[in-house]
Amino acid sequence: MDQTLLMLPGPTNVSNRVLQAISKNVVNHRSAIFGEILTETSQLMSKVFKTNNQSYLLTGSGTAAMEAAIANILNPNDKVLNVISGKFGERLRDITNVFGGNSVALNIEWGDCAKPEDIKEELEKNEDIRAVTVVHNETSTGVAAPIKKIGKVLKDYDTLYVVDTVSSLGGDHVDVDKYGIDICFTGSQKCLAAPPGMAAVTVSDDGWKVIDNVKSSTYYLDLKKYRKYGVGTPPETPYTPSVTLIYGLYEALKIIEEEGLDARIKRHEKAAKATREAAKALGLKLFPKEEISSATVTAINMPDGMSDSELRGTMRNEYKVELAGGQDHLKGNVFRIGHMGNITYKELAITFSALEMTLKKLGFDVDLGSGVAEVSKVFI
Ligand SMILES: *Cc1c(COP(=O)(O)O)cnc(C)c1O
């Protein structure tokens, strides 16, 4: 068994309880017993989304849910305002284009995030915006967007609010019904701490009104079919789902319920603060401004003269701690520490102990223990 510690923005470390759950034998996916598991998992999912809407489970990674969210609401040339401040905002734009949408991009510098006023301005400038896409937690830059405030702005407009919470749900505040989110989606392998391979999407009444009037351009991800099969006796999915991964997701959601969503978010906020304080104590520079930094992943500038393969390679090979690199133009310029899912002071103490040794070995001037001390200070 590989004992590498995953300090990644997904996939995250999976608990033994969840590992045991996925080792159970499969059952008929069109049986009463599976219908019960499907219903309960979907109900637990809606609780985490904080919505009275039904949640639908898709077998696929988070990108499948991104695709479902877009493909189901677009007729050719429908305008979508894509708010883009990193890799995942770009992905939603690309999906919009693939499904024949007319993307209006609100481009924001990577490391910053959209202001509600900017979105309002775009909505005033452009008529007929069918939907606005926002990435809550831009994993590529470690920045959280103000989705509550953006929701307030969108209430005055006849447009769907589509929010990607793949790397925030279960680790940061998401309140689908209160924020007025029409389509919200997530993936299993990030803050929910289940194995990769499942996604979930929830749709408001306004969302369904649009979906019901659009000729779906996707077969596998046609949400109308998920709705139809979901209300059957027993409840089912249209095609064979990953029964095994749904066992795992169910167990992961039970664990979240036991910890309590508020306590879990507080733990993530503490982990984020500890990570930032420890990084600063080591003389490292945070990539985004602290006020907008993510609760689940921290992007840190690569120290001058150090390469990504030296830093992350040493962490991986010598200390068995896996960190994430930068994406696209940030490759080699930043590294990222994921602190989502099950992360506590234990994993952070190991991570910063390893990071201190790595930096020292690579000739960087650090006081051993100074990062770990900040972790303790935040968690004590
Ligand atoms: C990880 C992630 C996704 C989906 O990625 P998959 O690799 O398909 O699971 C989408 N949006 C954000 C913000 C993410 O972090």
Side-chain angles (χ1 to χ4, degrees), residues 56-264:
Y56 297 92
L57 306 182
L58 310 174
T59 296
S61 75
T63 307
M66 296 170 101
E67 191 158 325
I70 301 291
N72 282 278
I73 60 170
L74 290 188
N75 279 316
N77 278 322
D78 279 348
K79 264 193 219 165
V80 176
L81 176 61
N82 298 125
V83 180
I84 304 171
S85 57
K87 183 89 184 161
F88 294 100
E90 285 182 350
R91 189 172 296 178
L92 283 164
R93 174 202 62 200
D94 293 346
I95 294 171
T96 300
N97 287 328
V98 163
F99 286 94
N102 175 4
S103 167
V104 177
L106 172 56
N107 285 299
I108 290 133
E109 204 184 330
W110 287 36
D112 208 341
C113 72
K115 289 177 192 65
E117 312 88 83
D118 301 340
I119 293 172
K120 191 176 173 69
E121 202 181 306
E122 287 299 322
L123 287 166
E124 291 294 330
K125 263 201 295 198
N126 294 280
E127 270 175 37
D128 311 324
I129 298 269
R130 160 140 302 186
V132 178
T133 69
V134 177
V135 176
H136 179 203
N137 189 73
E138 185 43 84
T139 319
S140 59
T141 62
V143 171
I147 55 169
K148 184 179 182 180
K149 287 187 184 146
I150 295 170
K152 273 195 188 138
V153 166
L154 295 195
K155 278 197 176 124
D156 297 334
Y157 296 86
D158 183 21
T159 188
L160 294 182
Y161 187 19
V162 178
V163 183
D164 174 334
T165 61
V166 178
S167 64
S168 58
L169 193 82
D172 196 357
H173 297 281
V174 176
D175 197 327
V176 166
D177 290 353
K178 250 200 210 143
Y179 301 173
I181 300 173
D182 293 298
I183 301 185
C184 196
F185 53 85
T186 200
S188 54
Q189 81 277 24
K190 306 223 172 163
C191 306
L192 303 181
M198 290 305 299
V201 57
T202 184
V203 180
S204 71
D205 291 346
D206 285 348
W208 281 119
K209 267 183 221 147
V210 171
I211 292 172
D212 282 326
N213 286 300
V214 157
K215 196 176 166 300
S216 212
S217 52
T218 166
Y219 190 91
Y220 188 67
L221 297 171
D222 182 350
L223 291 175
K224 294 194 221 43
K225 289 195 206 119
Y226 284 82
R227 177 180 58 183
K228 182 176 153 210
Y229 279 80
V231 295
T233 317
E236 295 175 9
T237 51
Y239 320 108
T240 316
S242 174
V243 170
T244 304
L245 290 177
I246 291 175
Y247 292 154
L249 182 59
Y250 170 82
E251 196 62 28
L253 292 167
K254 286 304 272 187
I255 292 170
I256 293 177
E257 192 178 50
E258 287 164 22
E259 180 175 13
L261 195 50
D262 288 343
R264 190 176 178 89

